[in-house]
Amino acid sequence: ALGFGFEVFPLNKNKCEKKKILPSKMLALTSLSPRPARPSPSPATPPHRRPPPPCGRIRPTSAVSTAASDGGGAADDYHSTIRSLNSHGRRHVPRKSLGQNYMLNARVNEELVAAAGVEEGDVVLEIGPGTGSLTAALLAAGATVVAVEKDKHMATLVRDRFGSTEQLKVIEEDITKFHVHSHFLPILEEKSRGTKKYAKGCVKLTIQCQH
Ligand SMILES: C[S@@+](CC[C@H](N)C(=O)[O-])C[C@H]1O[C@@H](n2cnc3c(N)ncnc32)[C@H](O)[C@@H]1O
C-alpha cells in the first residue's frame, strides 16, 4: 500500500512447491527463532540468475539489502526482542491467527513513516504494534501514538519497551471493538488544538498464504 514490493518466501518448501500461492494472499508469519545469517548473493550475479530465497517468509523488497546481517546497522534489536518476548512466562510463538510477524529492520520502518508523511506533532493510530518496531520509528518522528494491540503479551512488551511517556498510549484491545470516540478522539483533540492537523492511521497489513 505504501509502494513497497514484496518478495514471496514460502513457509513450507514442500507445500509451496505443490500449491499455488495467490499474490493477494501470501503468508506473512515470521518465526522469531534465531537462525544463522543467510549469505547474500554476489553483486556480480545478475538479478534474474540469483538463487531463490529460502522458504519461510515474505519481506518488503527494500528490506533485503539493509537486513541486519549485511551490516546495514538499521536492525531492530533482534535478540533483545526475543528475550523480551520470552520473559513473560512462556515461549513466544508468533500467532498466525493474529497475523503476527515482526519487522526487525528499523530502516524499513523509517521508510514507511516517511512514506506516510508522519511528522512532528502528528497523532497516529497504530493498529497492532507487535514488538513496537514501527512504533519506535513513529515516536522518533515526533508523533504521538495510540497503539491498539489485541495480544496482551505484545501490549505488555510495547509498554515495557517504551516505558511511561506522554507520547505513547498502548491500549490492549481488539481494534474491531475499539471505541474511537472515547479513546482516540480526546487525545487527537488535545494534541491538535489550534492546528489543522488530523489523525493518521498506521497498520501493516497481514497478507496470508493459501495452502
Ligand atoms: C504484523 S504484526 C505487527 C508488526 C509490527 N507492526 C512490527 O512492525 O513489528 C500484527 C499485530 O497486530 C496484532 N493484531 C492482530 N489482530 C488484531 C486486532 N484485531 N486488534 C488489534 N491488534 C491486532 C497482532 O497481535 C500483531 O501484534
Side-chain angles (χ1 to χ4, degrees):
L2 289 170
F4 287 88
F6 282 94
E7 285 186 357
V8 184
F9 293 62
L11 231 211
N12 179 308
K13 190 164 185 281
N14 296 329
K15 274 189 182 172
C16 289
E17 273 171 358
K18 283 190 214 143
K19 304 197 179 178
K20 189 178 169 193
I21 298 173
L22 305 177
S24 58
K25 294 188 171 187
M26 297 180 290
L27 191 67
L29 186 70
T30 303
S31 166
L32 277 171
S33 320
R35 66 165 113 179
R38 188 168 11 112
S40 47
S42 154
T45 311
H48 63 282
R49 297 235 177 120
R50 283 181 190 165
C55 265
R57 58 199 302 189
I58 163 180
R59 296 186 301 189
T61 49
S62 56
V64 175
S65 62
T66 56
S69 57
D70 73 1
D76 216 30
D77 188 335
Y78 182 66
H79 293 290
S80 72
T81 299
I82 293 170
R83 269 199 302 278
S84 303
L85 285 169
N86 292 336
S87 67
H88 296 288
R90 63 163 191 160
R91 192 184 176 284
H92 179 81
V93 177
R95 293 168 67 187
K96 188 174 172 183
S97 63
L98 289 175
Q100 290 181 339
N101 63 95
Y102 309 117
M103 179 62 72
L104 299 171
N105 185 329
R107 194 172 297 161
V108 174
N109 288 317
E110 285 159 18
E111 288 174 18
L112 289 169
V113 169
V118 175
E119 49 193 42
E120 182 88 36
D122 280 346
V123 181
V124 177
L125 174 62
E126 187 185 9
I127 301 168
T131 58
S133 63
L134 178 59
T135 318
L138 291 166
L139 295 173
T144 293
V145 179
V146 178
V148 181
E149 173 58 62
K150 185 175 179 182
D151 184 327
K152 69 177 178 185
H153 299 284
M154 305 315 289
T156 303
L157 178 74
V158 177
R159 283 194 195 104
D160 289 353
R161 177 171 177 172
F162 298 102
S164 166
T165 162
E166 284 216 340
Q167 238 188 297
L168 173 65
K169 184 168 186 188
V170 181
I171 299 170
E172 188 191 314
E173 199 165 320
D174 182 335
I175 192 64
T176 61
K177 297 176 184 151
F178 180 67
H179 201 261
V180 175
H181 273 270
S182 50
H183 290 301
F184 187 61
L185 288 189
I187 298 172
L188 181 61
E189 278 164 14
E190 186 197 322
K191 296 282 176 188
S192 63
R193 196 174 296 146
T195 74
K196 290 188 176 166
K197 284 184 176 292
Y198 291 95
K200 291 175 179 169
C202 264
V203 59
K204 271 203 339 214
L205 295 178
T206 300
I207 309 165
Q208 292 195 328
C209 179
Q210 218 179 44
H211 281 293

